Amino acid sequence: HTDGLVYIGQERVSAGSLAGRLKERLQSVTDKQVYLQGDGAVQLQDLVKVIDQLKDAGVSQVAIVAKAPGDI
């Protein structure tokens, strides 16, 4: 999303509650992979902060999804 917010699926969450919400959602999941997607305006330091929170929530693997130029 281009609004600088964090989403889990379609659910908007605050940056401060991201790790807690992910822990809840990942409790019953054995494969703790997350696919992370940002828009072109996301800053690297913001992406790193989100990855740190994912790791704190117990995510074992983070993949970054990129769109090819021209994809909508």
Side-chain angles (χ1 to χ4, degrees):
H1 288 269
T2 59
D3 49 16
L5 299 171
V6 178
Y7 291 81
I8 302 173
Q10 297 299 315
E11 176 190 359
R12 186 172 87 179
V13 296
S14 69
S17 65
L18 177 61
R21 286 293 299 129
L22 278 171
K23 283 180 185 178
E24 291 173 12
R25 292 194 56 170
L26 295 173
Q27 280 181 344
S28 61
V29 178
T30 57
D31 184 15
K32 300 195 184 318
Q33 293 183 354
V34 169
Y35 296 90
L36 185 61
Q37 181 177 352
D39 62 25
V42 70
Q43 298 291 314
L44 181 58
Q45 66 266 20
D46 294 331
L47 190 60
V48 170
K49 288 177 187 177
V50 169
I51 291 171
D52 287 344
Q53 289 188 35
L54 296 176
K55 294 294 185 179
D56 289 345
V59 173
S60 58
Q61 293 183 339
V62 177
I64 297 175
V65 178
K67 292 182 181 179
D71 283 354
I72 296 176

